[in-house]
Short mmCIF file of all heavy atoms in Angstrom, two decimals:
data_model
loop_
_atom_site.label_atom_id
_atom_site.label_comp_id
_atom_site.label_asym_id
_atom_site.label_seq_id
_atom_site.Cartn_x
_atom_site.Cartn_y
_atom_site.Cartn_z
N VAL A 1 100.13 80.65 107.79
CA VAL A 1 101.01 81.34 106.92
C VAL A 1 102.39 81.30 107.37
O VAL A 1 102.74 81.51 108.63
CB VAL A 1 100.60 82.86 106.79
CG1 VAL A 1 101.52 83.68 105.95
CG2 VAL A 1 99.15 82.95 106.28
N TYR A 2 103.36 81.04 106.58
CA TYR A 2 104.70 80.94 106.85
C TYR A 2 105.40 82.32 106.57
O TYR A 2 105.13 83.07 105.68
CB TYR A 2 105.49 79.92 105.99
CG TYR A 2 104.99 78.48 106.25
CD1 TYR A 2 104.12 77.88 105.37
CD2 TYR A 2 105.35 77.83 107.42
CE1 TYR A 2 103.61 76.57 105.53
CE2 TYR A 2 104.91 76.54 107.59
CZ TYR A 2 103.91 75.90 106.68
OH TYR A 2 103.56 74.82 106.93
N ARG A 3 106.30 82.69 107.48
CA ARG A 3 107.05 84.09 107.21
C ARG A 3 107.84 83.95 106.00
O ARG A 3 108.04 85.10 105.41
CB ARG A 3 108.10 84.09 108.43
CG ARG A 3 107.34 84.47 109.74
CD ARG A 3 108.34 84.90 110.75
NE ARG A 3 107.60 84.99 112.07
CZ ARG A 3 106.99 86.00 112.52
NH1 ARG A 3 106.84 87.11 111.84
NH2 ARG A 3 106.41 85.91 113.77
N GLU A 4 108.20 82.82 105.39
CA GLU A 4 108.94 82.80 104.19
C GLU A 4 108.01 83.18 103.03
O GLU A 4 108.45 83.67 102.01
CB GLU A 4 109.37 81.33 103.87
CG GLU A 4 110.53 80.85 104.92
CD GLU A 4 109.86 80.25 106.08
OE1 GLU A 4 108.70 80.30 106.23
OE2 GLU A 4 110.79 79.92 107.05
N VAL A 5 106.80 82.98 103.22
CA VAL A 5 105.80 83.34 102.21
C VAL A 5 105.28 84.82 102.23
O VAL A 5 105.24 85.57 101.36
CB VAL A 5 104.60 82.36 102.18
CG1 VAL A 5 103.52 82.83 101.24
CG2 VAL A 5 105.06 81.00 101.82
N ALA A 6 104.90 85.22 103.45
CA ALA A 6 104.25 86.47 103.74
C ALA A 6 105.19 87.54 104.36
O ALA A 6 104.84 88.72 104.32
CB ALA A 6 103.05 86.39 104.69
N GLY A 7 106.33 87.22 104.75
CA GLY A 7 107.20 88.08 105.32
C GLY A 7 106.65 88.75 106.53
O GLY A 7 106.02 88.23 107.39
N ASP A 8 106.78 90.22 106.69
CA ASP A 8 106.23 90.90 107.80
C ASP A 8 104.81 91.39 107.61
O ASP A 8 104.22 92.17 108.23
CB ASP A 8 107.24 92.05 108.24
CG ASP A 8 108.48 91.50 108.71
OD1 ASP A 8 108.60 90.46 109.34
OD2 ASP A 8 109.49 92.38 108.48
N LEU A 9 104.21 91.02 106.44
CA LEU A 9 102.96 91.56 106.16
C LEU A 9 101.73 90.78 106.71
O LEU A 9 100.68 91.31 106.94
CB LEU A 9 102.81 91.51 104.57
CG LEU A 9 103.70 92.40 103.86
CD1 LEU A 9 103.75 92.25 102.39
CD2 LEU A 9 103.49 93.88 104.16
N ALA A 10 102.04 89.54 107.23
CA ALA A 10 100.88 88.73 107.90
C ALA A 10 100.84 89.15 109.44
O ALA A 10 101.85 89.75 109.94
CB ALA A 10 101.15 87.21 107.63
N LEU A 11 99.76 88.91 109.91
CA LEU A 11 99.60 89.05 111.42
C LEU A 11 99.91 87.56 112.03
O LEU A 11 99.18 86.74 111.73
CB LEU A 11 98.27 89.52 111.88
CG LEU A 11 97.87 90.87 111.26
CD1 LEU A 11 96.45 91.15 111.73
CD2 LEU A 11 98.86 91.90 111.69
N TYR A 12 100.95 87.53 112.85
CA TYR A 12 101.26 86.26 113.42
C TYR A 12 100.95 86.26 114.78
O TYR A 12 101.02 87.14 115.65
CB TYR A 12 102.90 86.07 113.36
CG TYR A 12 103.29 86.03 111.82
CD1 TYR A 12 104.00 87.12 111.16
CD2 TYR A 12 103.16 84.89 111.14
CE1 TYR A 12 104.32 87.08 109.90
CE2 TYR A 12 103.56 84.81 109.72
CZ TYR A 12 104.05 85.78 109.16
OH TYR A 12 104.54 85.84 107.91
N PHE A 13 100.60 85.08 115.29
CA PHE A 13 100.33 84.73 116.79
C PHE A 13 100.48 83.38 116.95
O PHE A 13 100.22 82.42 116.00
CB PHE A 13 98.94 85.36 117.21
CG PHE A 13 97.86 84.78 116.43
CD1 PHE A 13 97.25 83.67 116.90
CD2 PHE A 13 97.39 85.35 115.25
CE1 PHE A 13 96.15 83.01 116.20
CE2 PHE A 13 96.29 84.75 114.51
CZ PHE A 13 95.72 83.68 115.06
N ASP A 14 100.75 82.91 118.14
CA ASP A 14 100.81 81.55 118.52
C ASP A 14 99.30 81.10 118.77
O ASP A 14 98.70 81.57 119.67
CB ASP A 14 101.55 81.29 119.83
CG ASP A 14 101.88 79.94 120.26
OD1 ASP A 14 101.03 79.08 119.90
OD2 ASP A 14 102.74 79.70 121.01
N PRO A 15 98.82 80.12 118.00
CA PRO A 15 97.41 79.69 118.16
C PRO A 15 97.16 79.11 119.62
O PRO A 15 95.98 79.01 120.09
CB PRO A 15 97.14 78.58 117.11
CG PRO A 15 98.50 78.20 116.57
CD PRO A 15 99.54 79.33 116.99
N ALA A 16 98.20 78.61 120.26
CA ALA A 16 98.03 78.19 121.65
C ALA A 16 97.98 79.29 122.77
O ALA A 16 97.65 79.03 123.86
CB ALA A 16 99.23 77.20 122.09
N LYS A 17 98.18 80.46 122.39
CA LYS A 17 98.19 81.62 123.30
C LYS A 17 97.07 82.59 122.78
O LYS A 17 97.34 83.49 122.04
CB LYS A 17 99.53 82.34 123.26
CG LYS A 17 100.68 81.39 123.79
CD LYS A 17 102.03 81.98 123.86
CE LYS A 17 103.01 81.07 124.31
NZ LYS A 17 104.37 81.63 124.27
N HIS A 18 95.91 82.47 123.38
CA HIS A 18 94.82 83.38 122.90
C HIS A 18 95.02 84.88 123.13
O HIS A 18 94.57 85.76 122.38
CB HIS A 18 93.52 82.95 123.54
CG HIS A 18 93.49 83.11 125.07
ND1 HIS A 18 94.03 82.23 125.97
CD2 HIS A 18 92.94 84.19 125.70
CE1 HIS A 18 93.86 82.73 127.10
NE2 HIS A 18 93.23 83.97 127.02
N GLU A 19 95.95 85.11 124.08
CA GLU A 19 96.32 86.56 124.37
C GLU A 19 97.04 87.15 123.17
O GLU A 19 96.89 88.43 122.93
CB GLU A 19 97.11 86.73 125.56
CG GLU A 19 96.33 86.49 126.93
CD GLU A 19 95.19 87.66 126.98
OE1 GLU A 19 95.48 88.79 126.58
OE2 GLU A 19 94.06 87.30 127.38
N GLU A 20 97.74 86.35 122.44
CA GLU A 20 98.42 87.02 121.27
C GLU A 20 97.47 87.27 120.13
O GLU A 20 97.59 88.38 119.60
CB GLU A 20 99.49 86.05 120.75
CG GLU A 20 100.76 85.87 121.64
CD GLU A 20 101.77 84.86 121.10
OE1 GLU A 20 101.76 84.60 119.87
OE2 GLU A 20 102.58 84.45 121.84
N LEU A 21 96.51 86.56 119.92
CA LEU A 21 95.44 86.81 119.04
C LEU A 21 94.70 88.05 119.49
O LEU A 21 94.39 88.92 118.70
CB LEU A 21 94.49 85.66 118.81
CG LEU A 21 93.23 85.82 118.00
CD1 LEU A 21 93.74 86.42 116.58
CD2 LEU A 21 92.39 84.62 117.91
N ARG A 22 94.36 88.04 120.80
CA ARG A 22 93.63 89.23 121.27
C ARG A 22 94.39 90.44 121.03
O ARG A 22 93.74 91.45 120.61
CB ARG A 22 93.36 88.95 122.72
CG ARG A 22 92.69 90.08 123.40
CD ARG A 22 92.49 89.87 124.86
NE ARG A 22 91.86 90.81 125.64
CZ ARG A 22 92.40 91.93 126.11
NH1 ARG A 22 93.77 92.04 125.94
NH2 ARG A 22 91.74 92.92 126.83
N HIS A 23 95.67 90.44 121.27
CA HIS A 23 96.45 91.60 121.00
C HIS A 23 96.40 92.03 119.64
O HIS A 23 96.35 93.33 119.34
CB HIS A 23 97.97 91.42 121.51
CG HIS A 23 98.98 92.40 121.14
ND1 HIS A 23 99.05 93.54 121.92
CD2 HIS A 23 99.95 92.56 120.26
CE1 HIS A 23 100.01 94.39 121.41
NE2 HIS A 23 100.57 93.73 120.37
N GLN A 24 96.61 91.19 118.59
CA GLN A 24 96.59 91.53 117.18
C GLN A 24 95.24 92.24 116.91
O GLN A 24 95.13 93.17 116.12
CB GLN A 24 96.79 90.29 116.36
CG GLN A 24 98.17 89.73 116.60
CD GLN A 24 99.23 90.63 115.81
OE1 GLN A 24 98.96 91.68 115.41
NE2 GLN A 24 100.42 90.12 115.76
N LEU A 25 94.14 91.54 117.35
CA LEU A 25 92.81 92.13 117.09
C LEU A 25 92.60 93.57 117.69
O LEU A 25 91.96 94.32 117.02
CB LEU A 25 91.76 91.18 117.55
CG LEU A 25 91.65 89.84 116.89
CD1 LEU A 25 90.70 88.91 117.64
CD2 LEU A 25 91.19 89.94 115.49
N ILE A 26 93.05 93.72 119.00
CA ILE A 26 93.10 95.11 119.37
C ILE A 26 93.79 96.12 118.56
O ILE A 26 93.43 97.17 118.36
CB ILE A 26 93.50 94.91 120.87
CG1 ILE A 26 92.53 94.29 121.78
CG2 ILE A 26 93.79 96.42 121.36
CD1 ILE A 26 92.99 94.11 123.20
N GLN A 27 95.03 95.67 118.08
CA GLN A 27 95.90 96.57 117.20
C GLN A 27 95.02 96.92 116.02
O GLN A 27 94.96 98.12 115.64
CB GLN A 27 97.11 95.75 116.89
CG GLN A 27 98.04 95.38 117.96
CD GLN A 27 98.83 96.68 118.54
OE1 GLN A 27 99.08 97.52 117.78
NE2 GLN A 27 99.15 96.48 119.70
N VAL A 28 94.32 95.98 115.43
CA VAL A 28 93.53 96.32 114.20
C VAL A 28 92.32 97.07 114.60
O VAL A 28 92.11 98.23 113.85
CB VAL A 28 93.02 94.93 113.59
CG1 VAL A 28 92.03 95.24 112.41
CG2 VAL A 28 94.19 94.14 113.07
N TYR A 29 91.63 96.81 115.61
CA TYR A 29 90.48 97.64 116.03
C TYR A 29 90.77 99.04 116.43
O TYR A 29 90.07 99.94 116.07
CB TYR A 29 89.80 96.99 117.28
CG TYR A 29 88.64 97.75 117.86
CD1 TYR A 29 87.44 97.58 117.09
CD2 TYR A 29 88.76 98.40 119.03
CE1 TYR A 29 86.29 98.32 117.64
CE2 TYR A 29 87.61 99.10 119.46
CZ TYR A 29 86.46 98.96 118.75
OH TYR A 29 85.32 99.68 119.15
N GLU A 30 91.92 99.29 117.06
CA GLU A 30 92.33 100.62 117.45
C GLU A 30 93.04 101.39 116.19
O GLU A 30 93.43 102.49 116.43
CB GLU A 30 93.25 100.50 118.53
CG GLU A 30 92.51 100.05 119.84
CD GLU A 30 93.44 99.95 121.21
OE1 GLU A 30 94.70 100.05 121.04
OE2 GLU A 30 92.81 99.78 122.13
N GLY A 31 93.12 100.75 115.11
CA GLY A 31 93.69 101.45 113.90
C GLY A 31 95.29 101.38 113.89
O GLY A 31 95.83 102.08 113.16
N ARG A 32 95.95 100.74 114.67
CA ARG A 32 97.33 100.73 114.75
C ARG A 32 97.95 99.80 113.59
O ARG A 32 99.06 99.91 113.24
CB ARG A 32 97.92 100.24 116.03
CG ARG A 32 97.69 101.17 117.06
CD ARG A 32 98.29 100.72 118.49
NE ARG A 32 97.30 100.90 119.49
CZ ARG A 32 97.31 100.33 120.73
NH1 ARG A 32 98.12 99.41 120.91
NH2 ARG A 32 96.52 100.77 121.60
N ILE A 33 97.03 99.01 113.14
CA ILE A 33 97.34 98.09 112.00
C ILE A 33 96.29 98.36 110.95
O ILE A 33 95.15 98.19 111.20
CB ILE A 33 97.36 96.58 112.38
CG1 ILE A 33 98.49 96.36 113.41
CG2 ILE A 33 97.58 95.77 111.12
CD1 ILE A 33 98.51 94.86 113.90
N ASP A 34 96.72 98.84 109.84
CA ASP A 34 95.77 99.09 108.68
C ASP A 34 95.75 97.97 107.69
O ASP A 34 96.65 97.65 106.89
CB ASP A 34 96.44 100.44 107.95
CG ASP A 34 95.50 100.84 106.79
OD1 ASP A 34 94.50 100.17 106.41
OD2 ASP A 34 95.76 101.88 106.29
N LEU A 35 94.57 97.19 107.82
CA LEU A 35 94.49 95.98 107.05
C LEU A 35 94.36 96.35 105.54
O LEU A 35 94.77 95.51 104.71
CB LEU A 35 93.27 95.21 107.60
CG LEU A 35 93.41 94.57 109.01
CD1 LEU A 35 92.22 93.75 109.23
CD2 LEU A 35 94.70 93.68 108.99
N THR A 36 93.76 97.48 105.28
CA THR A 36 93.66 97.79 103.74
C THR A 36 94.97 97.98 103.13
O THR A 36 95.44 97.53 102.14
CB THR A 36 92.74 99.11 103.63
OG1 THR A 36 91.47 98.89 104.23
CG2 THR A 36 92.66 99.49 102.14
N GLU A 37 95.87 98.86 103.83
CA GLU A 37 97.14 98.99 103.27
C GLU A 37 98.09 97.74 103.33
O GLU A 37 98.79 97.58 102.43
CB GLU A 37 97.91 100.05 104.16
CG GLU A 37 99.34 100.42 103.65
CD GLU A 37 99.38 100.77 102.09
OE1 GLU A 37 98.48 101.49 101.64
OE2 GLU A 37 100.39 100.33 101.49
N ARG A 38 97.86 96.84 104.36
CA ARG A 38 98.66 95.75 104.47
C ARG A 38 98.30 94.77 103.37
O ARG A 38 99.17 94.02 102.74
CB ARG A 38 98.29 95.11 105.87
CG ARG A 38 99.48 94.10 106.27
CD ARG A 38 99.12 93.73 107.81
NE ARG A 38 99.78 94.63 108.62
CZ ARG A 38 100.78 94.12 109.48
NH1 ARG A 38 101.17 92.94 109.41
NH2 ARG A 38 101.39 95.04 110.24
N SER A 39 96.96 94.75 102.98
CA SER A 39 96.43 93.90 101.91
C SER A 39 97.07 94.40 100.57
O SER A 39 97.53 93.50 99.76
CB SER A 39 94.90 94.09 101.81
OG SER A 39 94.49 93.30 100.63
N LYS A 40 97.14 95.62 100.37
CA LYS A 40 97.57 96.22 99.05
C LYS A 40 99.15 95.92 99.04
O LYS A 40 99.69 95.55 97.97
CB LYS A 40 97.51 97.69 99.05
CG LYS A 40 96.06 98.15 98.78
CD LYS A 40 95.99 99.75 98.78
CE LYS A 40 94.41 100.09 98.72
NZ LYS A 40 94.35 101.51 98.90
N ALA A 41 99.93 96.04 100.25
CA ALA A 41 101.30 95.81 100.27
C ALA A 41 101.51 94.25 99.98
O ALA A 41 102.51 93.84 99.37
CB ALA A 41 101.91 96.12 101.60
N SER A 42 100.66 93.46 100.44
CA SER A 42 100.78 92.04 100.18
C SER A 42 100.64 91.57 98.74
O SER A 42 101.36 90.74 98.23
CB SER A 42 99.69 91.23 101.02
OG SER A 42 99.87 91.39 102.38
N VAL A 43 99.75 92.30 98.05
CA VAL A 43 99.60 92.03 96.64
C VAL A 43 100.88 92.48 95.87
O VAL A 43 101.40 91.81 95.02
CB VAL A 43 98.44 92.80 96.01
CG1 VAL A 43 98.31 92.78 94.50
CG2 VAL A 43 97.17 92.22 96.66
N ARG A 44 101.46 93.66 96.27
CA ARG A 44 102.63 94.12 95.69
C ARG A 44 103.78 93.18 95.89
O ARG A 44 104.62 92.81 95.05
CB ARG A 44 103.02 95.56 96.15
CG ARG A 44 102.12 96.58 95.68
CD ARG A 44 102.73 98.01 95.93
NE ARG A 44 102.87 98.20 97.40
CZ ARG A 44 102.01 98.74 98.10
NH1 ARG A 44 100.85 99.12 97.81
NH2 ARG A 44 102.20 99.02 99.43
N TYR A 45 103.90 92.64 97.15
CA TYR A 45 104.95 91.69 97.59
C TYR A 45 104.83 90.41 96.70
O TYR A 45 105.85 89.91 96.23
CB TYR A 45 104.81 91.44 99.07
CG TYR A 45 105.83 90.50 99.56
CD1 TYR A 45 107.11 90.93 99.92
CD2 TYR A 45 105.64 89.18 99.85
CE1 TYR A 45 108.13 90.05 100.38
CE2 TYR A 45 106.51 88.27 100.27
CZ TYR A 45 107.79 88.72 100.58
OH TYR A 45 108.84 87.92 101.05
N ALA A 46 103.64 89.87 96.70
CA ALA A 46 103.51 88.56 95.94
C ALA A 46 103.70 88.73 94.48
O ALA A 46 104.24 87.88 93.93
CB ALA A 46 102.07 88.17 96.24
N SER A 47 103.27 89.84 93.91
CA SER A 47 103.52 90.04 92.46
C SER A 47 105.08 90.22 92.11
O SER A 47 105.54 89.76 91.00
CB SER A 47 102.78 91.20 91.99
OG SER A 47 103.27 92.39 92.40
N SER A 48 105.81 90.71 93.14
CA SER A 48 107.30 90.86 92.80
C SER A 48 108.04 89.72 93.29
O SER A 48 109.28 89.54 92.85
CB SER A 48 107.72 92.20 93.61
OG SER A 48 107.69 91.95 94.91
N HIS A 49 107.59 88.79 94.21
CA HIS A 49 108.33 87.65 94.64
C HIS A 49 107.86 86.26 94.09
O HIS A 49 108.68 85.38 94.16
CB HIS A 49 108.30 87.71 96.24
CG HIS A 49 109.06 88.62 96.74
ND1 HIS A 49 108.71 89.99 96.92
CD2 HIS A 49 110.37 88.64 97.25
CE1 HIS A 49 109.62 90.63 97.57
NE2 HIS A 49 110.65 89.89 97.68
N PHE A 50 106.65 86.16 93.68
CA PHE A 50 106.09 84.88 93.32
C PHE A 50 105.50 84.96 91.86
O PHE A 50 104.42 84.24 91.65
CB PHE A 50 105.02 84.47 94.39
CG PHE A 50 105.51 84.37 95.74
CD1 PHE A 50 105.27 85.42 96.58
CD2 PHE A 50 106.57 83.44 96.18
CE1 PHE A 50 105.93 85.37 98.07
CE2 PHE A 50 107.00 83.36 97.40
CZ PHE A 50 106.61 84.44 98.38
N ARG A 51 106.10 85.47 91.02
CA ARG A 51 105.60 85.32 89.67
C ARG A 51 106.19 84.05 89.03
O ARG A 51 107.28 83.55 89.37
CB ARG A 51 106.31 86.56 88.80
CG ARG A 51 105.71 87.96 89.06
CD ARG A 51 106.25 88.96 88.30
NE ARG A 51 107.73 89.14 88.55
CZ ARG A 51 108.66 88.92 87.69
NH1 ARG A 51 108.43 88.67 86.39
NH2 ARG A 51 109.93 89.06 88.02
N LYS A 52 105.30 83.43 88.14
CA LYS A 52 105.74 82.23 87.54
C LYS A 52 106.96 82.27 86.85
O LYS A 52 107.85 81.29 86.95
CB LYS A 52 104.53 81.75 86.64
CG LYS A 52 104.68 80.32 86.09
CD LYS A 52 103.50 79.95 85.16
CE LYS A 52 103.67 78.51 84.73
NZ LYS A 52 102.63 78.13 83.94
N GLY A 53 107.33 83.38 86.09
CA GLY A 53 108.42 83.49 85.31
C GLY A 53 109.70 83.51 86.11
O GLY A 53 110.63 82.95 85.82
N SER A 54 109.54 84.29 87.24
CA SER A 54 110.83 84.32 88.13
C SER A 54 111.14 82.96 88.82
O SER A 54 112.27 82.54 89.01
CB SER A 54 110.74 85.38 89.13
OG SER A 54 109.65 85.18 90.01
N TYR A 55 109.91 82.24 89.15
CA TYR A 55 110.20 80.91 89.68
C TYR A 55 110.84 79.91 88.68
O TYR A 55 111.71 79.26 88.93
CB TYR A 55 108.77 80.35 90.12
CG TYR A 55 108.85 78.87 90.52
CD1 TYR A 55 109.29 78.47 91.67
CD2 TYR A 55 108.45 77.92 89.58
CE1 TYR A 55 109.41 77.15 92.09
CE2 TYR A 55 108.50 76.57 89.89
CZ TYR A 55 109.08 76.18 91.13
OH TYR A 55 109.01 74.92 91.53
N THR A 56 110.33 79.94 87.42
CA THR A 56 110.86 79.15 86.40
C THR A 56 112.32 79.44 86.03
O THR A 56 113.11 78.57 85.89
CB THR A 56 110.00 79.34 85.10
OG1 THR A 56 108.64 79.08 85.39
CG2 THR A 56 110.50 78.36 84.05
N ASP A 57 112.63 80.75 86.03
CA ASP A 57 114.01 81.22 85.77
C ASP A 57 114.98 80.66 86.88
O ASP A 57 116.08 80.14 86.62
CB ASP A 57 114.16 82.69 85.88
CG ASP A 57 113.42 83.31 84.50
OD1 ASP A 57 113.20 82.48 83.57
OD2 ASP A 57 113.20 84.43 84.54
N GLY A 58 114.52 80.75 88.20
CA GLY A 58 115.31 80.24 89.33
C GLY A 58 115.51 78.75 89.20
O GLY A 58 116.58 78.25 89.36
N LEU A 59 114.48 78.04 88.87
CA LEU A 59 114.54 76.55 88.71
C LEU A 59 115.46 76.26 87.63
O LEU A 59 116.31 75.27 87.77
CB LEU A 59 113.02 75.99 88.54
CG LEU A 59 112.91 74.59 88.61
CD1 LEU A 59 113.27 74.13 90.05
CD2 LEU A 59 111.51 74.21 88.43
N ILE A 60 115.39 76.87 86.45
CA ILE A 60 116.34 76.65 85.43
C ILE A 60 117.77 76.71 85.81
O ILE A 60 118.71 76.08 85.52
CB ILE A 60 115.85 77.38 84.08
CG1 ILE A 60 114.62 76.89 83.59
CG2 ILE A 60 117.04 77.33 83.13
CD1 ILE A 60 114.00 77.68 82.49
N SER A 61 117.96 77.80 86.51
CA SER A 61 119.35 78.27 86.97
C SER A 61 119.81 77.04 87.83
O SER A 61 120.90 76.78 87.71
CB SER A 61 119.18 79.52 87.84
OG SER A 61 120.53 79.81 88.35
N ILE A 62 118.95 76.51 88.78
CA ILE A 62 119.38 75.49 89.63
C ILE A 62 119.82 74.23 88.81
O ILE A 62 120.77 73.58 88.97
CB ILE A 62 118.32 75.23 90.81
CG1 ILE A 62 118.14 76.29 91.62
CG2 ILE A 62 118.64 73.80 91.40
CD1 ILE A 62 116.92 76.20 92.66
N TYR A 63 118.90 73.92 87.87
CA TYR A 63 119.17 72.79 87.05
C TYR A 63 120.58 72.86 86.27
O TYR A 63 121.39 71.96 86.17
CB TYR A 63 118.10 72.60 85.97
CG TYR A 63 116.81 72.06 86.48
CD1 TYR A 63 115.60 72.38 85.99
CD2 TYR A 63 116.79 71.12 87.67
CE1 TYR A 63 114.40 71.88 86.57
CE2 TYR A 63 115.68 70.61 88.26
CZ TYR A 63 114.42 71.12 87.65
OH TYR A 63 113.22 70.54 88.08
N TYR A 64 120.86 74.11 85.67
CA TYR A 64 122.11 74.28 85.02
C TYR A 64 123.25 74.12 86.07
O TYR A 64 124.29 73.55 85.62
CB TYR A 64 122.09 75.69 84.40
CG TYR A 64 121.38 75.71 83.13
CD1 TYR A 64 120.46 76.76 82.81
CD2 TYR A 64 121.60 74.78 82.06
CE1 TYR A 64 119.82 76.86 81.57
CE2 TYR A 64 120.96 74.86 80.83
CZ TYR A 64 119.93 75.84 80.72
OH TYR A 64 119.37 76.02 79.41
N LYS A 65 123.15 74.65 87.15
CA LYS A 65 124.19 74.56 88.07
C LYS A 65 124.43 73.00 88.51
O LYS A 65 125.64 72.61 88.50
CB LYS A 65 123.92 75.25 89.37
CG LYS A 65 124.00 76.83 89.29
CD LYS A 65 123.61 77.50 90.54
CE LYS A 65 123.63 79.01 90.28
NZ LYS A 65 123.23 79.71 91.50
N CYS A 66 123.40 72.28 88.63
CA CYS A 66 123.55 70.87 88.89
C CYS A 66 124.21 70.11 87.71
O CYS A 66 125.00 69.17 87.88
CB CYS A 66 122.16 70.32 89.20
SG CYS A 66 121.45 70.77 90.74
N MET A 67 123.82 70.47 86.54
CA MET A 67 124.48 69.87 85.40
C MET A 67 125.93 70.19 85.21
O MET A 67 126.71 69.27 84.73
CB MET A 67 123.61 70.25 84.08
CG MET A 67 122.26 69.76 84.04
SD MET A 67 121.06 70.21 82.79
CE MET A 67 122.26 70.66 81.41
N ARG A 68 126.34 71.33 85.71
CA ARG A 68 127.83 71.66 85.56
C ARG A 68 128.65 70.96 86.69
O ARG A 68 129.84 71.00 86.51
CB ARG A 68 127.94 73.19 85.67
CG ARG A 68 127.37 73.88 84.36
CD ARG A 68 127.72 75.47 84.59
NE ARG A 68 126.76 76.07 83.68
CZ ARG A 68 126.12 77.16 83.96
NH1 ARG A 68 126.40 77.72 85.15
NH2 ARG A 68 125.27 77.72 83.26
N ALA A 69 128.07 70.61 87.70
CA ALA A 69 128.75 70.03 88.89
C ALA A 69 129.31 68.71 88.60
O ALA A 69 128.84 67.98 87.73
CB ALA A 69 127.78 69.97 90.11
#
């Protein structure tokens, strides 16, 4: 998962450093990270940032700018 896609809602760790994964799992196990709430927030984030209409609008805007240049 890229930060550009998931923002701060994903759990990030370096796959080469197993201690980072362990740390994230402990955070979840101990309740410091609420996966249910994080999942709901991810759905809200995706629906507000990655709608087909907003993507299309942005793409059309870029095309118009290029045509005017």
